[in-house]
Amino acid sequence: MSNALSPAVAHETRWPARLREFVNHAGEARPHITLATDEPGIRGLFRYRPETAQPLVHLSEVLLCGDSTLSRGEREVIAAYVSSLNRCRFCFHTHAAFAAVRVPEGMELIDQIRADLDTAPISAKLKALLAIAGAVQRSGQEVTGDHVNAARAAGATDLEIHDTVLIAAAFCMYNRYVDGLATLACDDPAHYAERAQLSGYVKVWEDELDEAC
């Protein structure tokens, strides 16, 4: 009998301790560099380097909020799923909250997907796209023709497959940006709930930047 943990259980054993106070992935109360504000996660990094923030925000806007045959909720699910696999607390909680207010089943569905994708009550198409996203999280070379064929058989278009790969790749970058500089986050869902109602990323960022100037 194998002693190997199931993927879901193994993932949970690697997830940092659930904390309501703002700390980084190592449990420390300070990021690696001195930021301009005490805003958590990528928000503090955006404020620190607005020149790089602008294209990153625009990329998120196009991928998650732009015109697409995938719903906003489905795209936020992909972002949250990849962030969970990368154990990025800030990005996971942020995009899980954004997804939860845009899918009928709310956070319960996000938790079910995160616990066991194979049995999660979602469409075959979204399940196939999340399998692609999970492969991208491991390595772009992990995406096989079988992944793509399964997504097509479930009704995914080439554009939806393209955008899934790009969302997954982009969130691997965002996750590593956030955790590579040890930014702070908490695990309290209430902290993320209010911002989850926002309709887009660019206007919110530009409004916040104007207020800070």
Side-chain angles (χ1 to χ4, degrees):
M1 180 181 294
S2 172
N3 292 320
L5 296 173
S6 72
V9 172
H11 175 71
E12 284 300 319
T13 64
R14 297 192 303 268
W15 188 265
R18 303 297 176 124
L19 299 169
R20 289 184 180 269
E21 62 266 29
F22 283 88
V23 294
N24 61 32
H25 55 81
E28 302 293 333
R30 292 172 53 186
H32 286 324
I33 63 174
T34 301
L35 302 177
T37 73
D38 59 0
E39 292 171 287
I42 206 167
R43 291 162 55 194
L45 300 179
F46 281 173
R47 194 82 70 193
Y48 178 80
R49 193 81 157 91
E51 301 91 337
T52 56
Q54 186 174 23
L56 295 177
V57 170
H58 278 272
L59 178 60
S60 294
E61 182 85 9
V62 171
L63 291 177
L64 301 181
C65 306
D67 292 339
S68 176
T69 49
L70 293 175
S71 71
R72 170 83 187 274
E74 288 172 325
R75 288 175 284 169
E76 294 285 1
V77 165
I78 295 169
Y81 182 67
V82 170
S83 298
S84 173
L85 294 175
N86 283 324
R87 294 174 291 141
C88 182
R89 295 163 59 240
F90 177 81
C91 293
F92 167 70
H93 290 304
T94 295
H95 293 279
F98 272 103
V101 298
R102 291 169 174 83
V103 296
E105 303 85 349
M107 190 60 74
E108 181 180 356
L109 179 63
I110 310 307
D111 290 340
Q112 288 174 311
I113 292 170
R114 184 166 173 263
D116 189 349
L117 177 59
D118 289 339
T119 61
I122 56 176
S123 70
K125 183 173 83 169
L126 181 56
K127 195 171 292 188
L129 292 175
L130 287 171
I132 290 175
V136 172
Q137 182 269 336
R138 297 188 298 275
S139 166
Q141 295 178 10
E142 290 278 331
V143 181
T144 66
D146 288 343
H147 285 114
V148 173
N149 290 337
R152 286 193 179 124
T157 66
D158 280 6
L159 182 58
E160 290 171 342
I161 293 168
H162 169 279
D163 285 1
T164 296
V165 170
L166 185 50
I167 291 169
F171 272 85
C172 284
M173 174 182 65
Y174 295 143
N175 298 160
R176 284 154 177 73
Y177 183 32
V178 165
D179 285 337
L181 287 165
T183 62
L184 310 186
C186 75
D187 295 303
D188 184 357
H191 171 77
Y192 303 89
E194 182 177 354
R195 291 181 68 85
Q197 305 293 331
L198 301 176
S199 59
Y201 296 95
V202 170
K203 186 177 187 306
V204 171
W205 164 244
E206 290 176 346
D207 287 349
E208 289 182 352
L209 194 59
D210 287 343
E211 291 174 7
C213 295

